[in-house]
Amino acid sequence: MSFPISAGLLDSMVLAIVSSEDTYGYEITQTMRKAVDVSESTLYPVLKRLQKSQMLETYDKEYMGRNRRYYHVTSKGAAQLSNYRSEWVEHKTKVDSILMSDAIGNKEKIKEEEEVLPQEA
Amino acid sequence: MGTMRRLEYMSILRQKLVEGGLSNDEINDALEFYEELFLDAGYENEEKTAQNLGDPEKLAAQILAENGSVGFVRSEYKMDDAINNSDPNAQKDTASAGSYDIAPDNRKKALIILAICTCFIWFPITIGLLSAVFAITVAMVAVVFSIFIAGVSTFVAGAFTCVTAPPVGVLLIGVGVFLAGLGFLIFKPLCRGAIGLAKKFFGWVGKTVRNIFGGGNSNKAVSENG
């Protein structure tokens, strides 16, 4: 892909996934891979980092006779996520203002895309 | 590695993590995470999962690098390359040609130590250079200022000479106005340039110090070459 995914973007996407519902490693990796081309091995460090900075906490739940580790967004993580979201909207708007500037016919398209963005920001 | 399954993959991963000197807690944590991925992906998908995860040795090196427990890791094993690179064959090629590099955390520490150890060399040099630049700047400002003063005094002298020898007086007034104007013209941009330079310099010093001693909380780009 032409546009590299930054660490901050990975963090915010993982936070967003977990914030909608407590979930486990495999599901997080699968959700991420739907949107961006990241290796499954990239997400372990991201989750560790978010735990270390107390954005995420974990608990174990039994599933089919084994433990499954669930991730939960802390209040600190939720605050950070909302920061990330407003930063992203700002970033996206600025990039679009240049990248999409001569696409006069596409203005409605941009509007549609903006509406798809998370509304909580 | 095409037919590697969970057990084989996990045992290689464990072995490499142990060899890397990672703490038991960290090893168990990582192994549990990847074991879970295998199990959740399903028994029938074990080979595919192994392929998605890539070379277990490489994964181990990446985990070790992230934990900063080892000083030296292969540079290709770092996070930067793991992302956007889910094709295991592409990873294999670079792995064999691995050059040794210092992990980011240790690199920062090494830089600080190096800076302190060599301070008896760079400190005098830096001070010397700084004073030279400062002296040159002050000298330039002084020269320009003196041109301006010379102009003013020539103008005054010309005004008096007008009484005794009018043509010479007018000439002197003209020269005086010329010099004063010249000095005035140069003075302002010179001062602005000197101030701008000083601002830039101190900004750079501040940034460098922050980069070396500051925490790693900046959002560094994970991949430059996606």
Side-chain angles (χ1 to χ4, degrees):
Chain A
M1 190 160 86
S2 312
F3 311 110
I5 316 288
S6 72
L9 198 50
L10 281 177
D11 285 8
S12 40
M13 287 175 83
V14 167
L15 276 177
I17 292 168
V18 181
S19 84
S20 66
E21 191 187 5
D22 288 6
T23 182
Y24 51 95
Y26 178 72
E27 197 159 276
I28 298 172
T29 63
Q30 293 312 103
T31 311
M32 285 295 281
R33 281 163 70 89
K34 270 185 216 160
V36 289
D37 184 20
V38 291
S39 152
E40 278 161 332
S41 57
T42 305
L43 287 154
Y44 177 67
V46 173
L47 289 165
K48 286 294 279 185
R49 185 165 63 228
L50 288 170
Q51 277 172 261
K52 265 184 197 159
S53 53
Q54 291 158 358
M55 306 284 176
L56 290 182
E57 55 194 16
T58 63
Y59 57 91
D60 290 344
K61 218 173 176 179
E62 204 181 296
Y63 171 80
M64 308 258 289
R66 62 184 167 88
N67 266 336
R68 204 184 235 171
R69 178 149 296 169
Y70 277 79
Y71 295 84
H72 173 77
V73 175
T74 64
S75 54
K76 194 181 167 190
Q80 182 63 37
L81 174 60
S82 111
N83 280 343
Y84 275 140
R85 279 177 169 161
S86 45
E87 269 178 42
W88 172 255
V89 171
E90 198 184 325
H91 176 71
K92 185 178 148 56
T93 311
K94 279 183 187 164
V95 172
D96 278 353
S97 74
I98 293 171
L99 187 61
M100 312 301 279
S101 62
D102 66 349
I104 297 158
N106 284 347
K107 263 188 181 166
E108 281 172 35
K109 212 174 171 187
I110 298 170
K111 250 183 204 166
E112 277 171 24
E113 278 167 20
E114 272 168 359
E115 279 164 11
V116 176
L117 272 177
Q119 299 294 314
E120 285 169 47
Chain B
M1 116 154 217
T3 55
M4 201 185 292
R5 296 181 67 86
R6 175 172 61 93
L7 287 176
E8 190 188 348
Y9 193 97
M10 292 307 291
S11 72
I12 296 176
L13 183 61
R14 173 186 292 277
Q15 187 197 331
K16 292 295 163 190
L17 289 178
V18 171
E19 280 173 16
L22 198 63
S23 77
N24 277 336
D25 279 353
E26 297 279 6
I27 291 177
N28 287 334
D29 202 71
L31 289 177
E32 274 168 25
F33 180 85
Y34 287 108
E35 176 93 358
E36 219 187 276
L37 281 190
F38 268 109
L39 294 175
D40 280 326
Y43 179 79
E44 66 282 1
N45 294 322
E46 283 186 6
E47 281 167 24
K48 203 176 143 229
T49 307
Q51 220 162 31
N52 280 341
L53 286 173
D55 185 349
E57 286 189 38
K58 203 171 161 169
L59 179 60
Q62 190 192 326
I63 295 168
L64 293 170
E66 278 290 325
N67 277 279
S69 69
V70 282
F72 293 86
V73 293
R74 286 175 177 230
S75 58
E76 283 78 12
Y77 288 167
K78 277 184 296 187
M79 185 89 173
D80 307 52
D81 304 278
I83 193 166
N84 290 343
N85 201 355
S86 46
D87 178 9
N89 295 322
Q91 294 180 342
K92 218 185 255 172
D93 292 339
T94 51
S96 54
S99 61
Y100 285 83
D101 200 356
I102 305 171
D105 265 11
N106 293 319
R107 182 181 294 159
K108 201 176 262 180
K109 276 180 206 151
L111 227 105
I112 294 173
I113 293 169
L114 197 73
I116 292 169
C117 287
T118 56
C119 76
F120 65 92
I121 299 173
W122 58 257
F123 194 68
I125 294 177
T126 315
I127 294 289
L129 277 176
L130 275 182
S131 10
V133 169
F134 181 72
I136 291 170
T137 312
V138 169
M140 275 164 73
V141 171
V143 165
V144 173
F145 188 68
S146 64
I147 291 175
F148 177 75
I149 294 296
V152 171
S153 49
T154 312
F155 177 85
V156 173
F160 283 109
T161 316
C162 269
V163 183
T164 49
V168 179
V170 170
L171 176 74
L172 285 180
I173 287 177
V175 171
V177 169
F178 170 75
L179 285 178
L182 187 71
F184 196 74
L185 275 179
I186 304 175
F187 194 69
K188 216 174 162 187
L190 185 72
C191 282
R192 200 175 290 162
I195 291 169
L197 209 72
K199 261 187 195 161
K200 229 179 223 174
F201 173 75
F202 285 113
W204 177 80
V205 168
K207 212 170 124 192
T208 309
V209 169
R210 240 175 292 135
N211 273 349
I212 295 178
F213 295 100
N217 54 356
S218 57
N219 287 343
K220 65 169 185 183
V222 168
S223 169
E224 309 287 348
N225 54 357

